[in-house]
Amino acid sequence: MKTVIETRSLTKKFGAKTILAQIDLDVPAGSIYAYLGPNGAGKTTTIKTMVNILRPTRGTVKILGVDSTALDAKEFRQIGYVSENQVLPEGMTANALFDYCRPMYPQWDEGFCQSLTRQFDLPCDEPIEKLSRGMKMKAALIASLAYRPKLLILDEPFSGLDPVARKDLMDGIMELTGTEEWTIFISSHDIEEVEHLADWVGFLHKGQLKLSETTESLQARFKRINITLKNPLESEVPFPANWLLPQQEGRFLCFVDNSFQPGESEKQYRKGLPAVSTIEIQGMSLKEIFLIQARQLKMLNI
Amino acid sequence: MPHAYLVFEKDLRQFRLILLSWLGAVGVTHGVALLGGMLLNTHFMFRITQPLVLQWLSALQAVLILIFVPLIVQSDPMVGTTAFWLTRPISRLSLLRAKAVLVGSVFVGIPLLLEIAVLALNGLAWKDVLPAALLIALEKSAFIVPVFLVASLTGKFHEFFIAGIAAVLGCVAAWTLLPALVPGLCFSGAPGTALGSLQQQMLIVFVSVLLIGHQYKTRRTQRTIVGVLAGALFIPWALCVLPQGVLQQEVCRINPPQVVIQTGQAVVAEDMVSGNRLARDRIVSIPIHVRGLRSGQFAVLLRVSGPLIAYGPDVQLRSSGPLRSPAVLLSSRELQDPIQHALKDFIVMNPYQGADNRYPVFRLPETVYDQYQKQSGVYEGLGAFDIYEYRIGARMPLVRGAKRFSGRTESVVLDVIEKPSGVAVIVGEKTLNVSSAFSKGGAPAGGDTSLDFSGTYVLVHPGRKEAFLVDILDQPGIRIDLAWPVRADRLGFKVKRYDFPGLNVGGSVTGVQKSWLKEAELIRLEARELGVFERNLRFSDFVLPEVGELRK
C-alpha cells in the first residue's frame, strides 16, 4: 500500500503543553481520509505540521515521500490545501486570485477551473473580502483543485458554513471524488459532514491517535449488542474490556463491542454470560462509533 | 514566470492606490524643493511658507512609509500560520525578493532619482552624483530597512505599531541604562559627525538586512527578535570600539600643538534635563586656548569624552549628560588672526571687544553641583579638537542681485538696507553638501547647521582696505532644507540678515557714507577643516564656580 502521508512518532509541543503525542499515521494513496476529533484535539496542528507551517517538536512527517520540513515548490504544486483559518488575499477578486495562482502550476486546468466556478456559482468579479464565508471557501477550493493536486488537504472546510453552502461544497467534493484519482485528507469535528465521503478514518483525542483504519473495518468491528438474558444477573459480572459502555436493566444488557467478529463474538457472549436468551447485533454509523469512542474516553478520563 | 515577479505584480496591483499616493507625496515634496531654488530670491511669501510646507511633507512621507511598508510586507506575512502563500509553491526567497524590489524601488529608488534630479538642477557636479546617490540611498535605507524588519516580525499593522514603539523605547532605555549599569562599557550615543552618521547608517542597514534574511530563511521569529535585541546593543558598541578604517578622518599633520587651558574664568549655566521639567543640570564652561598652530589656523574643541572630576581617591564625579555644542564667536580673540590671515591686506575692524570662547566641559544635576561647588578637584577628560583656517569663498559687490558661487554655496545679495546705525545685508544662500561625508577634510561636517563660525560674511572697502565683522554671528534667518528623512543639510536654502553696525562704531574710522557703501564689497569667509586631534585634558585645582556666576 503506497502512502501519501506518513507520520512517525509525531510530537508537537507549544512550550510545556503537548498538543500531539507520538502520532503514527498512514494515509494510503487514493483514499479519502477523515481525520476526526473534538475541538482542540490537535487536528489542525497535525495538518499544519504536515504542510510545514509548523515544525514537529519530535518525529517525522512525510508528504508525497518528502520530509515535511523539506517541502518546496515542487511538492506544493501537487498539494491542495483549504483551511477554515486560511487568509485569502482579500483585496483580490476570485478571478484575480485564479490569475495569481495559475502561473504557479504548470498543470493548471483552466477548463476545470471554469467548470468548478460555474458549478459553485461563484461571483468571480467581487472582491474576496465582500464574499460570504461559504463563497470564500468555494474560491479557496477552486484555487486548490484547478491544478488537480495529488493530495488535497481540507482542514475543517465546512466549519461555520450555513447548510446550503455546506451541501454545495460537499456535493462538489463528492462529485469530484467520483471522477478524480486523488487522495483527500479531511479534518472535521463533526463526523456527519464526512461520513459519506470517507473510506478511511482516524480519531484523535487530546493529541493522541486512538484509531486509524478503513471505515469498512471500523464498522465491521464496532457493533451495538443487545442481549436478553433468561434471568437478571444476580451479582456484578466483570465485562471484557472490548465491551464499551455496558448498560444493564433487569434481563436486558446492551453494550458496544469494538472487536466484533461474526460467530466468534457471539460464542464469547454466551460463554461469558449465564443463560443468554437472544443476541441482537446492530451495525453502527460512523457518528455513533465516534460518539461512543468519545464517551468511553471521557468515562475513563483519558 | 518567476514567482518573485508574480508576487511583485500582485502587490503592485493590490497596493496601486497607496503607491500612487506615495509617489504623489514624493513628487510634491521635490517639486516644492525645486521651486525653493527658483523662487526663493524673488517671492517673499514662498520664502516664508516653503519651510513649513516642506516640513509637513517630509513628516507626511515618514508617516506614509510607516504605514505602507508594513502593509506591503504583511500582505504575505512571515509570522502566523494562516497566510495564503504558506501552502503555495512560492519560496520564501521569492517573497523576499519581490518585497525588497517593490519597497526598494518605490520607497528608495524613485525618491532617490527625484532627489538627484533636484540636486542636479541646483548645481550638483557630475563627479558628485554617484557619492550623493550612495549617501542618499544609505540614509533612506537606514530608515526603511528597519521598518521592513519590524514588519516582517509582525503579522498585523497594530502589532507592527506596538512592536515599533516597544523597539524604540527598548533601544532608548538600553542605550541610556546600560552604560550606567555596566562599568567600562563603551557605548556610543548619537553620532556627532557626518562620518559617525554614515557608519551608524551602514551598521543599521547591515544588521537589519541580516535579520530580515534570517527571518525569511527560517521563519523563526523568536530567534530573529533575539537578533534584533543583540543588534540594538551591537550597533552602539560597534560604533564606539570598532576601528573606523578608511572612514576615519585624517589626523591632523600639524606639529603637535601645545594645548593651553585657562580655567580661571569658568562659568556655569543651567540647562533643562530632557524629559523632566523640574530637574535642572548645571553646565560648566571654560575658555580653552590652543597654542602652537600655524598662523591663520584655529582650533575648536568638538567634544570631551569621559569627563570626570576626582575629589581625593574615593570620590569621582562623572559628567551627567550630553554637553551642548560650543558657540564659537566670530568676534572672539582666537578668530581675529585667522580672519586677518584670510583677508590679507585688509585691516579687520573688530569693534566688539572680542571675548574668549568657552567650551562646555562638565555637567551635573544641580543638587550634586551645589554639594561640590567651590571644592578643588582634579579634572580629566579626552578632548577632541578640530583645526580650521579661513579662506575667502566668494567676493561680490554690495548691490542687490549680486550672486557668487563658492564651493558648495551660492550666495545672493537679496537686499541692502541702509540704516542710521550701519547697514543690514539680506543674503540668500543655497548650499549643496552631498559628499562631505565621504571626504577627508573640507568644510565642517554638517555644513553650517551646528558650527556657526563655518561660513560668514565681512563687509570690505577695497579702496580703503577696511573690513568689518558682522555684528552677531547667529542672525535670525530662515532655513529651508530638502533632506528626508534623516539629514537636513544636503541641499539647504537659507535667508539671513547680516548687520554691520560697525560702520558707525568708533566714529574715527568711518561713518555711514553712501560713497563707502557704493564701493563696498561683501566677502564670504569659509572655515576649512584641516584635521582633528585628541588631547588628554587634565588639570588639578579645578573648581566648580559658584552659582552666583550663573549664566543663563
Side-chain angles (χ1 to χ4, degrees):
Chain A
M1 179 179 70
K2 191 183 168 192
T3 57
V4 172
I5 301 173
E6 180 186 305
T7 75
R8 291 292 173 264
S9 303
L10 174 63
T11 302
K12 180 68 188 173
K13 290 183 176 185
F14 289 120
K17 193 174 180 189
T18 302
I19 307 298
L20 298 175
Q22 305 281 333
I23 305 284
D24 289 319
L25 181 71
D26 291 283
V27 178
S31 64
I32 299 173
Y33 193 108
Y35 195 51
L36 306 172
N39 287 330
K43 303 184 295 297
T44 297
T45 303
T46 312
I47 289 176
K48 285 183 174 174
T49 312
M50 285 174 178
V51 290
N52 197 25
I53 293 175
L54 296 172
R55 286 179 194 79
T57 306
R58 275 197 304 278
T60 58
V61 184
K62 282 189 177 177
I63 298 280
L64 301 169
V66 177
D67 191 281
S68 67
T69 55
L71 289 177
D72 68 7
K74 187 181 159 202
E75 286 76 38
F76 277 117
R77 286 196 192 102
Q78 304 298 332
I79 298 172
Y81 171 85
V82 178
S83 165
E84 59 163 345
N85 300 314
Q86 193 176 32
V87 179
L88 299 176
E90 299 264 295
M92 288 182 174
T93 63
N95 267 340
L97 177 69
F98 303 148
D99 290 344
Y100 176 47
C101 292
R102 191 178 301 115
M104 297 178 197
Y105 302 96
Q107 75 275 29
W108 182 277
D109 185 339
E110 186 55 29
F112 188 34
C113 176
Q114 286 178 9
S115 97
L116 287 170
T117 305
R118 280 193 299 274
Q119 185 182 334
F120 286 157
D121 202 17
L122 182 69
C124 288
D125 295 323
E126 286 276 317
I128 288 172
E129 62 198 345
K130 290 187 178 169
L131 297 181
S132 67
R133 187 173 163 75
M135 285 299 175
K136 281 182 189 174
M137 290 303 285
K138 286 176 183 176
L141 194 62
I142 295 171
S144 294
L145 291 176
Y147 50 94
R148 299 180 185 275
K150 284 183 182 166
L151 169 64
L152 179 62
I153 296 174
L154 304 169
D155 183 12
E156 300 274 9
F158 310 115
S159 175
L161 298 188
D162 63 67
V164 178
R166 186 182 296 204
K167 186 170 185 312
D168 277 358
L169 214 57
M170 211 179 301
D171 289 349
I173 294 170
M174 284 186 77
E175 199 169 315
L176 293 168
T177 54
T179 55
E180 300 292 330
E181 282 297 317
W182 48 24
T183 307
I184 298 177
F185 186 87
I186 182 166
S187 83
S188 178
H189 64 274
D190 186 351
I191 195 160
E192 266 184 310
E193 291 174 346
V194 292
E195 71 176 327
H196 303 300
L197 294 171
D199 51 21
W200 273 74
V201 175
F203 180 66
L204 192 69
H205 181 80
K206 291 187 178 174
Q208 292 180 322
L209 189 64
K210 295 297 176 187
L211 61 86
S212 176
E213 61 191 289
T214 62
T215 51
E216 197 180 356
S217 83
L218 190 68
Q219 285 179 313
R221 192 158 68 78
F222 275 79
K223 297 290 180 192
R224 185 178 294 283
I225 310 296
N226 295 316
I227 294 176
T228 311
L229 303 169
K230 289 178 180 163
N231 301 303
L233 291 172
E234 288 176 356
S235 59
E236 285 214 355
V237 179
F239 299 123
N242 58 312
W243 293 12
L244 308 180
L245 302 175
Q247 287 180 309
Q248 189 192 342
E249 201 173 315
R251 295 190 297 120
F252 299 103
L253 173 68
C254 69
F255 59 89
V256 172
D257 188 348
N258 70 0
S259 308
F260 183 81
Q261 288 179 303
E264 287 298 312
S265 292
E266 283 136 322
K267 283 182 196 167
Q268 188 195 2
Y269 307 149
R270 290 187 189 282
K271 195 175 165 188
L273 295 167
V276 172
S277 174
T278 59
I279 300 174
E280 187 186 352
I281 301 162
Q282 293 176 341
M284 295 176 73
S285 68
L286 279 181
K287 184 181 180 183
E288 287 172 315
I289 296 171
F290 175 84
L291 289 174
I292 288 289
Q293 187 80 1
R295 222 176 282 161
Q296 174 76 5
L297 291 168
K298 193 176 177 185
M299 206 175 77
L300 297 173
N301 202 21
I302 296 172
Chain B
M1 192 183 293
H3 291 163
Y5 179 75
L6 279 178
V7 179
F8 177 84
E9 194 187 26
K10 183 258 299 178
D11 285 342
L12 210 56
R13 282 175 196 272
Q14 189 175 351
F15 298 112
R16 60 189 181 279
L17 289 179
I18 63 174
L19 292 176
L20 281 174
S21 64
W22 160 256
L23 292 179
V26 172
V28 169
T29 305
H30 288 83
V32 171
L34 189 60
L35 282 174
M38 296 156 69
L39 303 179
L40 189 68
N41 300 339
T42 51
H43 289 70
F44 179 74
M45 279 312 291
F46 194 78
R47 202 186 292 168
I48 301 296
T49 54
Q50 196 204 29
L52 196 63
V53 172
L54 272 178
Q55 271 180 7
W56 279 100
L57 286 170
S58 296
L60 175 68
Q61 282 186 52
V63 170
L64 291 181
I65 281 179
L66 289 171
I67 295 171
F68 293 167
V69 171
L71 284 179
I72 291 170
V73 174
Q74 290 176 341
S75 66
D76 295 289
M78 275 298 119
V79 297
T81 59
T82 58
F84 183 71
W85 70 269
L86 284 167
T87 52
R88 298 283 157 177
I90 305 169
S91 70
R92 294 191 282 253
L93 184 63
S94 299
L95 275 179
L96 178 57
R97 273 193 207 134
K99 305 288 177 188
V101 168
L102 184 61
V103 169
S105 58
V106 173
F107 294 96
V108 178
I110 291 173
L112 169 67
L113 289 177
L114 286 174
E115 192 159 339
I116 290 291
V118 170
L119 293 173
L121 289 168
N122 280 284
L124 181 71
W126 278 109
K127 68 179 175 56
D128 285 335
V129 168
L130 185 61
L134 288 174
L135 193 68
I136 296 165
L138 185 63
E139 286 168 3
K140 292 186 187 308
S141 302
F143 181 67
I144 289 167
V145 178
V147 173
F148 193 118
L149 171 62
V150 177
S152 72
L153 297 173
T154 49
K156 300 262 192 276
F157 183 73
H158 70 270
E159 292 170 0
F160 165 83
F161 188 71
I162 293 166
I165 290 174
V168 170
L169 291 179
C171 285
V172 170
W175 295 342
T176 310
L177 292 176
L178 275 176
L181 295 175
V182 183
L185 178 68
C186 181
F187 232 42
S188 172
T193 64
L195 272 173
S197 298
L198 198 66
Q199 288 168 310
Q200 187 185 45
Q201 288 158 8
M202 283 173 161
L203 280 169
I204 288 172
V205 171
F206 176 70
V207 170
S208 301
V209 165
L210 276 184
L211 291 170
I212 290 170
H214 178 267
Q215 176 66 3
Y216 271 81
K217 190 174 179 204
T218 65
R219 280 210 317 129
R220 290 182 183 262
T221 306
Q222 288 179 351
R223 288 187 191 182
T224 313
I225 289 171
V226 171
V228 171
L229 297 176
L233 300 179
F234 168 76
I235 290 171
W237 176 80
L239 278 172
C240 187
V241 301
L242 289 181
Q244 298 183 26
V246 293
L247 292 173
Q248 176 68 52
Q249 276 181 290
E250 249 175 23
V251 175
C252 182
R253 300 297 179 199
I254 300 165
N255 288 332
Q258 178 65 39
V259 180
V260 178
I261 300 167
Q262 293 183 350
T263 59
Q265 296 167 32
V267 293
V268 57
E270 67 178 24
D271 195 18
M272 301 287 282
V273 175
S274 176
N276 186 349
R277 285 179 150 197
L278 298 175
R280 282 187 166 76
D281 277 354
R282 290 191 174 139
I283 298 174
V284 178
S285 301
I286 56 172
I288 294 180
H289 295 292
V290 179
R291 307 288 185 214
L293 300 176
R294 287 183 187 169
S295 179
Q297 296 176 346
F298 64 102
V300 173
L301 178 64
L302 281 180
R303 62 186 170 274
V304 182
S305 306
L308 60 86
I309 304 172
Y311 295 98
D314 300 327
V315 181
Q316 277 192 344
L317 293 184
R318 288 186 181 275
S319 189
S320 64
L323 297 165
R324 290 180 300 193
S325 299
V328 179
L329 299 172
L330 195 68
S331 57
S332 62
R333 277 190 298 220
E334 303 109 288
L335 266 60
Q336 298 317 296
D337 172 56
I339 290 171
Q340 181 65 72
H341 192 267
L343 292 173
K344 294 189 173 64
D345 299 337
F346 289 97
I347 302 162
V348 178
M349 307 294 181
N350 179 16
Y352 309 116
Q353 305 299 321
D356 291 323
N357 292 314
R358 288 189 171 85
Y359 298 94
V361 292
F362 211 72
R363 180 180 184 124
L364 281 174
E366 57 183 346
T367 49
V368 183
Y369 189 94
D370 292 346
Q371 194 182 338
Y372 286 93
Q373 69 176 335
K374 292 177 21 186
Q375 291 185 36
S376 178
V378 179
Y379 177 94
E380 280 188 280
L382 182 65
F385 294 84
D386 248 347
I387 296 181
Y388 298 97
E389 67 179 5
Y390 274 121
R391 65 175 182 182
I392 294 177
R395 190 167 167 170
M396 64 196 96
L398 188 67
V399 291
R400 186 188 292 189
K403 186 189 288 189
R404 291 289 183 279
F405 234 111
S406 88
R408 303 182 179 99
T409 303
E410 185 187 51
S411 304
V412 184
V413 176
L414 297 177
D415 210 349
V416 179
I417 305 163
E418 291 179 30
K419 301 190 298 183
S421 59
V423 65
V425 184
I426 312 292
V427 180
E429 285 181 356
K430 182 176 75 183
T431 306
L432 266 176
N433 189 23
V434 289
S435 56
S436 64
F438 295 113
S439 64
K440 296 181 175 183
D448 60 355
T449 52
S450 57
L451 303 171
D452 47 20
F453 59 89
S454 64
T456 188
Y457 294 87
V458 290
L459 197 59
V460 301
H461 190 291
R464 299 171 65 110
K465 296 291 179 191
E466 291 167 352
F468 282 87
L469 297 183
V470 72
D471 184 6
I472 303 165
L473 191 66
D474 195 15
Q475 294 283 333
I478 299 167
R479 187 178 174 84
I480 300 167
D481 295 302
L482 164 69
W484 166 88
V486 184
R487 290 274 295 278
D489 59 345
R490 194 149 41 235
L491 174 61
F493 302 104
K494 185 168 67 176
V495 178
K496 270 185 137 181
R497 198 179 91 165
Y498 294 90
D499 277 318
F500 295 94
L503 293 169
N504 239 4
V505 179
S508 60
V509 179
T510 184
V512 180
Q513 297 168 5
K514 282 193 179 295
S515 60
W516 197 101
L517 288 173
K518 199 173 178 183
E519 293 176 39
E521 291 182 358
L522 200 62
I523 287 182
R524 177 174 164 80
L525 285 179
E526 289 174 353
R528 177 181 162 78
E529 188 186 30
L530 300 170
V532 295
F533 70 92
E534 289 183 337
R535 282 289 181 279
N536 282 317
L537 307 177
R538 185 179 194 283
F539 39 93
S540 51
D541 298 329
F542 185 86
V543 178
L544 296 174
E546 276 191 88
V547 177
E549 300 168 42
L550 194 70
R551 189 181 64 172
K552 296 207 176 183

